[in-house]
Structure formats: C-alpha cells, structure tokens
Amino acid sequence: MDEEVENKVILHGSFASPYSKRIELALRLKSIPYQFVQEDLQNKSQTLLRYNPVHKKIPVLVHNGKPISESLFIIEYIDETLRHGPHILPQDPYRRSKVRFWANYIQLHLYDVVIKVVKSEGEEQEKALTEVKEKLSVIEKEGLKEIFSDTDGEPTVTNETMSLVDIVMCTLLSPYKAHEEVLGLKIIDPEIVPGVYGWINAINETRVVKDLSPPYEQILEILRAFRQMSLSPVLETYQS
C-alpha cells in the first residue's frame, strides 16, 4: 500500500449535520487533508451502510480503508492516531477526564432539549427553553471552572487550544444568534450566563470555525427548513 492510499482520510457526512461538523473541525484543527462524501440521509449509500452496518448513521471516518463511527469516538481516534497539530484532548489525565465529562454532559443533557426548542412551539417549547437555560446555568457555575482550569474559569479558545468540549459546544450553539432570530427567543442571555456567552463567542472568533461556518443567511435557511419540516426525528436517526 503506497503512502498516499495508506494515509487517505474520507469523511462520510452531511453538510447540515452538527455531528459531521465536529469531525471537520477536528481534522482542520490538525491540518489533515480529507475527502468529504455528502450522504443523502433519506437514501443512504451502500458504502455508508457497509461501513456502519450497526447504526447506519453519519458521520463515518475512513482511514487506511478502516471505518470509525460515532462522532466523539472519531475525534478521539483522530487525536490519538493522526498526530498532527495541537492536541484536542489534554495530555494530563485529570484535565482530560474533565473535558470528557463536560463534553458528555452537553451531549446527553443539552443536545436533545435544544433541538426540541427549535422544533416545538407553545408550552412544549417554553418548557424546553427553561430546561436549556437550567443546563447552561450548570455549565456556567460548575463547568467553566473545570473546563478552563488553566485560566481560572475564564473562557479562552484558539485554534491551538480548542478541545473536545469546545467542539461539542460549537456544533450545538455556535449559531445561537440565528436560532434566536428564527425562533424569536432569547437562548443565551449574557446577563445570566456571561461565561457561557463569552465562551461561545470566543469559539466563534477562531479561524477554524469562521472558515467552516456557512454564511449567516444560509444558516437561517437551514434552521427555518429544519423547524418547518420537523426533520429532527429523521435526522436524529441517522447522526451520531
């Protein structure tokens, strides 16, 4: 196997998928060239089904012809195997455990309820929004001091320091301004969660996030379509 084939990296994903964006951020942080294969979530390719026969979901990373699935596992694989650029997980075991904990917290406790806010209305939406704000308050009070222990809880994010938890938060609430415009709701209040507000804006100012983010109007169109067509139950089935 020649070097070019041996080191080839292919990402099967979807342009609008936050889970795919996680992997693209990780690859770009490490300056790893990759081929992106756009998957139709309503008509999944045989290649995707062959690479991920258990869950049949995106994203799937293929490296050296070997598939890896589940976005958080893929990022750890990239960090451990493709050793270019900065570390996405801290080398110190204690700090690494904290980054993993809060990335998992956001995934388990915040992702679904934010999606519910986008796809619901009335009392159901109000209840979901209250839960989002409660979870953000937990991150504000308990998470930031552990995630940013090196800077006394002050959120500082650059291309060189972006970690797993930054990537997970980015792919959920980086476009919070578009969420707020489409929904007519305040999701992140800088007076209530100033640390979280500063964290997300620091993420949005990084070069890698700016380069990967679509134009604002396009984000609005995606969110409006997502809300109007109630696609989240379908999309959620095919992403991880």
Side-chain angles (χ1 to χ4, degrees):
M1 182 180 294
D2 63 44
E3 184 177 355
E4 183 177 351
V5 173
E6 183 178 355
N7 292 323
K8 189 171 185 180
V9 175
I10 303 171
L11 173 60
H12 291 259
S14 174
F15 170 75
S17 165
Y19 299 92
S20 297
K21 186 177 179 182
R22 289 178 181 179
I23 311 310
E24 290 201 86
L25 282 169
L27 292 169
R28 292 186 182 214
L29 282 171
K30 289 181 166 286
S31 301
I32 298 168
Y34 63 97
Q35 175 187 345
F36 186 86
V37 178
Q38 174 72 26
E39 290 284 349
D40 180 352
L41 299 183
Q42 307 302 316
N43 184 26
K44 294 167 287 185
S45 71
Q46 290 302 308
T47 302
L48 175 64
L49 297 177
R50 185 173 74 252
Y51 282 144
N52 193 1
V54 176
H55 297 301
K56 303 177 176 62
K57 296 178 179 179
I58 61 166
V60 173
L61 185 81
V62 183
H63 179 226
N64 294 345
K66 298 176 181 178
I68 307 99
S69 56
E70 302 291 330
S71 59
L72 297 183
F73 300 152
I74 294 172
I75 292 173
E76 292 208 23
Y77 175 88
I78 290 170
D79 200 40
E80 293 172 1
T81 308
L82 304 172
R83 296 181 176 274
H84 310 300
H87 292 290
I88 297 172
L89 283 157
Q91 295 300 286
D92 175 73
Y94 181 76
R95 290 197 61 231
R96 185 163 62 248
S97 73
K98 292 301 180 181
V99 165
R100 281 179 171 144
F101 175 88
W102 287 105
N104 194 55
Y105 179 89
I106 294 167
Q107 176 66 36
L108 292 180
H109 298 286
L110 204 51
Y111 249 79
D112 286 349
V113 72
V114 168
I115 291 173
K116 188 178 289 186
V117 171
V118 176
K119 70 172 186 175
S120 62
E121 56 188 3
E123 186 177 341
E124 183 182 4
Q125 186 184 58
E126 186 176 336
K127 183 179 178 181
L129 182 59
T130 298
E131 188 175 349
V132 168
K133 291 181 177 180
E134 289 172 354
K135 302 304 183 187
L136 290 175
S137 292
V138 171
I139 295 170
E140 178 79 21
K141 295 173 183 176
E142 304 297 335
L144 294 180
K145 63 186 178 184
E146 294 190 344
I147 296 167
F148 299 102
S149 57
D150 287 353
T151 54
D152 296 323
E154 182 69 27
T156 304
V157 185
T158 67
N159 273 36
E160 289 70 38
T161 63
M162 185 174 286
S163 73
L164 174 68
V165 69
D166 298 313
I167 290 173
V168 173
M169 179 58 91
C170 172
T171 54
L172 177 62
L173 285 175
S174 171
Y176 74 92
K177 291 181 181 178
H179 283 80
E180 292 178 343
E181 180 172 338
V182 169
L183 299 172
L185 300 169
K186 195 72 174 175
I187 297 175
I188 300 176
D189 190 332
E191 294 186 4
I192 298 175
V193 285
V196 170
Y197 177 82
W199 180 22
I200 294 172
N201 281 286
I203 290 171
N204 285 340
E205 286 300 311
T206 59
R207 185 176 65 257
V208 67
V209 171
K210 286 183 175 180
D211 288 348
L212 194 55
S213 297
Y216 184 73
E217 290 300 323
Q218 190 170 1
I219 297 174
L220 292 177
E221 289 177 11
I222 292 170
L223 286 171
R224 287 179 181 132
F226 182 89
R227 179 169 171 78
Q228 182 179 355
M229 299 170 64
S230 298
L231 287 177
S232 54
V234 176
L235 287 173
E236 198 173 5
T237 303
Y238 298 139
Q239 304 178 70
S240 62

